[in-house]
């Protein structure tokens, strides 16, 4: 089955810096790659997603890049703010309505 | 519109007891998923309903876990008898349909299960 590896497990940055979280997946048939943000005590929420026919997608300060040949995708957050502090999960799926296989999560801390 | 809701938010039970978790998806969502996060690890898939049918139950750990979605609305996940390793946060999620368009899975707040 699909396996997703996520790095780093923790990431600490200063406010205003950029943060990058990387994931690799094992199954070349995976086609849908969402990123979820979970703030302390809250539910995971989708922040951005990408399909395999697209190499990059951007939404304000966040962007996701996908390298299908290398089977890896990354989340980029620019101009980080303290409210970006949370656990971030990457995931992969064959379709957007199928089961998600998650990475282990990255605890991002943004210091004011 | 109300999001995905789960009940209870916390449950503490003794090993060997039974617990039933409930999930109410967003109204009109055909897909309902159960996931589990064990302490500090990844969120793991348990199963997927399409309406009242089990589409994929490949993640169910063993026959102590029973999920139902009668009538295709809310779902329950029963653990009987509970073991220590069942402790974790159980998330429910729902999404709208089965067309392969970008189809966000909306998560509930989770039920934190502690088995003593």
């Amino acid at each position: 089955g699909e396996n997703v590896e996520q790095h780093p497990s923790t990431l600490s940055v200063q406010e205003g810096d950029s943060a990058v979280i990387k994931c690799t997946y094992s199954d070349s048939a995976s086609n849908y790659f969402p990123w979820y943000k979970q703030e302390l005590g809250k539910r995971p929420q989708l922040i951005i997603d990408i399909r395999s026919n697209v190499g990059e997608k951007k939404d304000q300060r966040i962007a996701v890049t996908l390298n299908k040949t290398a089977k890896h995708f990354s989340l980029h957050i620019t101009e980080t703010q303290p409210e970006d502090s949370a656990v971030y999960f990457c995931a992969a799926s064959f379709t957007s309505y199928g089961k998600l296989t998650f990475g282990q999560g990255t605890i991002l801390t943004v210091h004011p | 519109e109300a999001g995905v809701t789960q009940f209870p938010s916390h449950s503490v039970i003794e090993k060997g007891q039974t617990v039933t978790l409930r999930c109410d998806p967003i109204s009109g969502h055909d897909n309902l998923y159960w996931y589990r996060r064990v302490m500090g690890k990844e969120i793991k898939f348990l199963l997927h309903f399409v309406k009242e049918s089990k589409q994929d139950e490949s993640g169910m750990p063993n026959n102590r876990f029973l999920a139902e979605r009668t009538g295709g609305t809310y779902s329950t996940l029963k653990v009987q008898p509970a073991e220590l390793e069942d402790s974790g946060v159980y998330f429910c999620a729902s999404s709208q349909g089965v067309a392969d368009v970008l189809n966000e899975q909306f998560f509930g707040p989770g039920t934190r299960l502690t088995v003593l």
Side-chain angles (χ1 to χ4, degrees):
Chain A
E2 175 65 281
N3 183 53
V4 177
E5 297 286 332
Q6 182 173 346
H7 298 279
S9 56
T10 61
L11 180 58
S12 185
V13 300
Q14 288 296 127
E15 183 176 1
D17 287 351
S18 294
V20 180
I21 302 170
K22 299 183 178 182
C23 290
T24 59
Y25 61 99
S26 61
D27 195 332
S28 56
S30 286
N31 194 32
Y32 173 65
F33 306 93
W35 285 87
Y36 283 82
K37 174 185 179 183
Q38 187 180 18
E39 296 177 66
L40 191 63
K42 296 191 176 180
R43 66 191 70 199
Q45 290 197 297
L46 181 74
I47 55 171
I48 195 165
D49 54 14
I50 193 168
R51 292 291 295 265
S52 61
N53 59 349
V54 175
E56 183 174 359
K57 185 175 177 181
K58 194 171 181 179
D59 182 4
Q60 298 183 355
R61 295 187 299 108
I62 59 173
V64 57
T65 58
L66 171 66
N67 183 327
K68 206 163 156 52
T69 303
K71 290 189 282 188
H72 66 71
F73 56 113
S74 300
L75 178 72
H76 305 253
I77 306 174
T78 58
E79 300 170 28
T80 54
Q81 300 167 4
E83 51 265 38
D84 294 329
S85 297
V87 182
Y88 290 80
F89 294 96
C90 64
S93 178
F94 298 142
T95 66
S96 61
Y97 60 86
K99 70 178 184 183
L100 297 176
T101 301
F102 283 89
Q104 294 87 345
T106 296
I107 302 171
L108 173 64
T109 305
V110 181
H111 299 281
Chain B
E1 180 183 347
V4 177
T5 58
Q6 292 186 244
F7 182 83
S9 56
H10 293 84
S11 181
V12 181
I13 61 172
E14 300 277 336
K15 176 182 168 180
Q17 290 185 321
T18 297
V19 63
T20 301
L21 313 181
R22 174 172 169 142
C23 168
D24 286 79
I26 293 172
S27 177
H29 279 193
D30 287 341
N31 296 296
L32 188 148
Y33 314 82
W34 284 99
Y35 294 89
R36 175 174 74 173
R37 188 179 190 208
V38 173
M39 178 73 78
K41 297 196 173 181
E42 73 269 29
I43 300 171
K44 278 198 166 181
F45 169 80
L46 297 177
L47 91 161
H48 170 202
F49 285 99
V50 178
K51 298 184 180 178
E52 66 275 9
S53 300
K54 290 177 185 174
Q55 176 78 11
D56 181 352
E57 50 185 328
S58 61
M60 294 289 264
N62 52 60
N63 59 9
R64 295 186 294 102
F65 288 73
L66 175 64
E68 295 180 324
R69 192 182 182 195
T70 307
T73 54
Y74 71 91
S75 175
T76 57
L77 179 65
K78 183 193 290 190
V79 184
Q80 178 182 32
E83 298 289 344
L84 299 179
E85 64 264 26
D86 301 332
S87 295
V89 180
Y90 289 76
F91 289 105
C92 176
S94 73
S95 71
Q96 192 160 22
V98 294
D100 195 17
V101 296
L102 288 175
N103 196 357
E104 177 179 352
Q105 291 187 25
F106 293 86
F107 277 72
T111 293
R112 181 173 297 277
L113 175 63
T114 303
V115 183
L116 302 175

